[in-house]
Amino acid sequence: MKKKGRGGRQAKAGRYGGFLPVLMAVLVLGTGCGQETEENRTDIDFTVVEPEKVPEELAEIIQEHREEEMQLTFSDGGGLYAVRGYGKQDTGGYSITVDECAEGEEQIYVATTLLGPPQSQQVSKDPSYPVIVIKMENREKEVIFE
């Protein structure tokens, strides 16, 4: 499912959770310094990757560290993956929206939002580990999570 730009697209959180960057995965924290204004950003195409289609090495990292919040990138030659996980949640039913996936001159900006279970929905009482994996063309730029 190809997505483009802004618009609050929503994807069900995968079965993976937070994790630490390993090998090619690079932890990226947005500091706010030197960030471009939204007017200087251009929306870029991206795909929300289904859990069963996540590269094996990345899936192992996600599974190993699923209880932690995380923001990281991973490159496997086939593309650039931006991963945002929200750590352990007490119940199921969570989803994550992609609010922005855009690039500036020197950086790529990714913004997501964790949405709680709808009150009208019966949810699992088991803990869940919401995570979203976004794939895009590798642009050799730093990813800033907002």
Side-chain angles (χ1 to χ4, degrees), residues 23-83:
L23 300 173
M24 295 178 67
V26 178
L27 179 64
V28 181
L29 298 174
T31 62
C33 298
Q35 290 187 359
E36 301 172 49
T37 63
E38 287 190 30
E39 295 81 40
N40 296 337
R41 299 179 188 177
T42 304
D43 292 340
I44 57 176
D45 288 338
F46 66 91
T47 302
V48 175
V49 181
E50 297 298 324
E52 61 275 2
K53 294 185 179 179
V54 171
E56 186 176 332
E57 183 179 0
L58 180 55
E60 289 173 8
I61 296 168
I62 292 169
Q63 182 63 28
E64 183 179 335
H65 303 286
R66 69 186 190 155
E67 295 204 13
E68 306 158 16
E69 284 197 42
M70 59 47 202
Q71 303 171 346
L72 65 88
T73 60
F74 179 88
S75 178
D76 67 353
L80 175 64
Y81 298 84
V83 182

Side-chain angles (χ1 to χ4, degrees), residues 16 19 32 36 42 54 58 61 65 67 75 78 96 105-106 113 122 125-126 128 130 134 146:
Y16 305 115
F19 53 95
E36 301 172 49
T42 304
V54 171
L58 180 55
I61 296 168
H65 303 286
E67 295 204 13
S75 178
I96 300 171
E105 280 190 43
E106 298 179 17
T113 302
Q122 180 110 16
K125 300 290 184 202
D126 295 330
S128 63
I134 302 165
E146 298 182 315

Side-chain angles (χ1 to χ4, degrees), residues 66-117:
R66 69 186 190 155
E67 295 204 13
E68 306 158 16
E69 284 197 42
M70 59 47 202
Q71 303 171 346
L72 65 88
T73 60
F74 179 88
S75 178
D76 67 353
L80 175 64
Y81 298 84
V83 182
R84 177 67 172 104
Y86 289 86
K88 183 178 179 180
Q89 303 298 317
D90 292 334
T91 66
Y94 286 85
S95 60
I96 300 171
T97 61
V98 177
D99 303 319
E100 179 179 37
C101 189
E103 73 176 316
E105 280 190 43
E106 298 179 17
Q107 298 162 322
I108 295 171
Y109 299 89
V110 174
T112 61
T113 302
L114 177 67
L115 301 174

